[in-house]
């Protein structure tokens, strides 16, 4: 029945059916073939989404929407501009730092691309080639699932079970995320010098830096409070997400004074719509993973791989190559839901640090959001910038290569990933 379910899923997905429904129908086909009571399907679906940790995703999404609705992004952009706006490629640096700030609130790439794209692309088009500007925005948006809080890491931890904590995964992403930002800023500077882009911001001024820092202080403090509370054990990730919503509402309503009561329904609707996609994938995929479990597929796969190689590095290399290919063709949340229950236990059997394996797993699939043919961020940016895919690909490939370089560094030097969470007791 596992074989039937996998074949059904692949056929339906290739025919263009949405992945959530492809997973659900594949599970239904497998259950019907096996003779298992079909009432298992809705029971498993309801059990999957009736999860307290999973509530963190819509709450962080809502916090991000409230920040955007309260025009908080503009203060973040002004502060970043005061720091790096005058150097060559300064507008790209401002975008990357703004993406870093937005990532520390929303935890999602597509939401970040929509917010950054609509905010930064008008200025980008005035000073840079539109393809370069779009590539920078896409790269900045891809920080969302890497910098804590990360919706992708929440999904991974949920599917991996008790072997890994959300807070530990959050901290595993901090150092690689900073490396990624620094590397992308260096790459943007190199391209700006090579293309001869003129500086765009005002000359650096300590006075202006202090003014913009004061205006952005409450915004900068938000991720410190939320992530610090989660890591310090003051509250859980879900409770931290709820605090982020309240914090974002207070900042938008009474600090920037740009968020009105009329904006709230739209913010909640957009957050619900984005979260529903993740929820539907989890709900429909869970009966499929149930089929895998009752047919002992994880155990059989573990025995097969361990019979093939006893070297954990070879196993890790196999998984990384597989994820590179999967990320090009499959939506990342669907990949977490289908593959994490299979490979996370095998990684434990090899003695691989679950935080290390989990971060590499997430990072690899996050890069897939920028790789054709199914790079969702590429399609989002083509729609916002109104450019053909071929034009964007000419500029985005160096940023994709840089992300894979950081992934390789994290793979070769595990301490980049594990030092901070282990120092904090994870």
């Amino acid at each position: 029945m596992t074989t039937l379910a996998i074949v059904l899923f692949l056929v339906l997905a290739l025919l263009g059916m949405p992945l959530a429904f492809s997973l659900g129908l594949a599970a239904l086909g497998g259950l019907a073939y096996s003779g298992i009571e079909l009432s298992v399907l809705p029971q498993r679906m309801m059990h999957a989404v009736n999860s307290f940790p999973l509530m963190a995703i819509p709450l962080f999404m809502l916090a991000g929407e409230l920040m955007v609705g309260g025009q908080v992004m503009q203060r973040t952009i002004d502060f970043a501009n005061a720091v790096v706006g005058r150097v060559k490629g300064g507008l790209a640096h401002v975008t990357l730092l703004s993406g870093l700030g937005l990532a520390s609130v929303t935890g999602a790439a597509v939401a970040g691309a929509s917010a950054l794209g609509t905010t930064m692309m008008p200025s980008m088009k005035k000073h840079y080639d539109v393809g370069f500007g779009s590539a920078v925005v896409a790269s900045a948006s891809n920080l969302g699932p890497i910098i804590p809080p990360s919706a992708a890491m929440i999904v991974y931890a949920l599917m991996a079970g008790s072997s890994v904590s959300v807070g530990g995964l959050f901290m595993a992403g901090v150092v690689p995320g900073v490396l990624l930002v620094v590397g992308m800023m260096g790459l943007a500077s190199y391209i700006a010098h090579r293309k001869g882009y003129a500086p765009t911001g005002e000359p650096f001024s300590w006075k202006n830096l202090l003014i913009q820092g004061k205006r952005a202080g409450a915004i900068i403090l938000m991720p410190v409070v939320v992530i610090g509370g989660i890591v310090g054990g003051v509250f859980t990730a879900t409770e931290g997400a709820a605090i982020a919503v309240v914090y974002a509402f207070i900042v938008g309503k009474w600090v920037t004074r740009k968020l009105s009561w009329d904006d709230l329904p739209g913010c909640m609707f957009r957050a619900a719509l984005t979260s529903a996609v993740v929820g539907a994938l989890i709900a429909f995929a869970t009966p499929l993973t149930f089929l895998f479990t009752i047919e002992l597929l994880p155990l059989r796969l573990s025995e097969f791989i361990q019979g093939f190689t006893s070297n954990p590095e070879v196993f890790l290399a196999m998984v990384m190559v597989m994820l590179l290919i999967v990320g090009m063709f499959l939506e990342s949340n669907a990949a977490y839901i289908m593959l994490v229950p299979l490979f996370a236990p095998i990684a434990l059997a090899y003695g691989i640090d679950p935080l290390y394996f989990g971060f590499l797993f997430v990072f690899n699939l996050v890069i897939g959001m920028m790789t054709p043919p199914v790079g969702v961020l590429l399609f989002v940016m083509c729609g916002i910038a109104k450019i053909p895919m071929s034009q964007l690909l000419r500029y985005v490939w160096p940023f994709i290569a840089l992300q894979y370089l950081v992934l390789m560094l994290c793979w070769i030097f595990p301490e980049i990933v594990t030092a901070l969470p282990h120092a904090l007791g994870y």
Side-chain angles (χ1 to χ4, degrees), residues 241-368:
I243 290 169
V245 171
V246 176
Y247 194 110
F249 175 75
I250 291 172
V251 170
K253 184 66 177 173
W254 288 291
V255 177
T256 66
R257 298 182 180 180
K258 298 293 184 181
L259 185 67
S260 69
W261 293 107
D262 292 338
D263 294 328
L264 295 184
C267 291
M268 288 189 283
F269 176 78
R270 288 188 294 273
L273 195 63
T274 307
S275 306
V277 174
V278 180
L281 281 166
I282 292 174
F284 282 114
T286 300
L288 195 60
T289 59
F290 170 70
L291 291 181
F292 294 164
T293 303
I294 62 176
E295 285 213 326
L296 303 178
L297 184 61
L299 179 61
R300 292 176 181 176
L301 186 61
S302 176
E303 290 173 347
F304 171 77
I305 293 175
Q306 288 179 313
F308 177 76
T309 177
S310 59
N311 190 329
E313 290 299 325
V314 175
F315 163 73
L316 203 53
M318 290 168 58
V319 174
M320 290 299 102
V321 172
M322 180 202 68
L323 291 177
L324 189 153
I325 297 168
V326 167
M328 292 181 179
F329 297 97
L330 190 62
E331 199 273 334
S332 58
N333 283 306
Y336 299 133
I337 295 159
M338 292 182 66
L339 300 178
V340 171
L342 295 178
F343 288 102
I346 302 175
L348 278 177
Y350 274 103
I352 299 173
D353 188 317
L355 287 175
Y356 171 61
F357 181 78
F359 176 77
L360 292 181
F361 200 104
V362 170
F363 193 3
N364 203 327
L365 288 174
V366 165
I367 301 173

Side-chain angles (χ1 to χ4, degrees), residues 35 39 50 53 58 81 120 124 128 144 154 164 193 239-240 244 296 304 313 343 356 380 413 420:
S39 61
N50 186 23
N81 197 43
M120 298 301 301
M124 287 279 199
Y128 301 146
I154 293 171
V164 64
H193 278 85
E239 292 162 349
L296 303 178
F304 171 77
E313 290 299 325
F343 288 102
Y356 171 61
V380 171
F413 304 104
L420 181 59

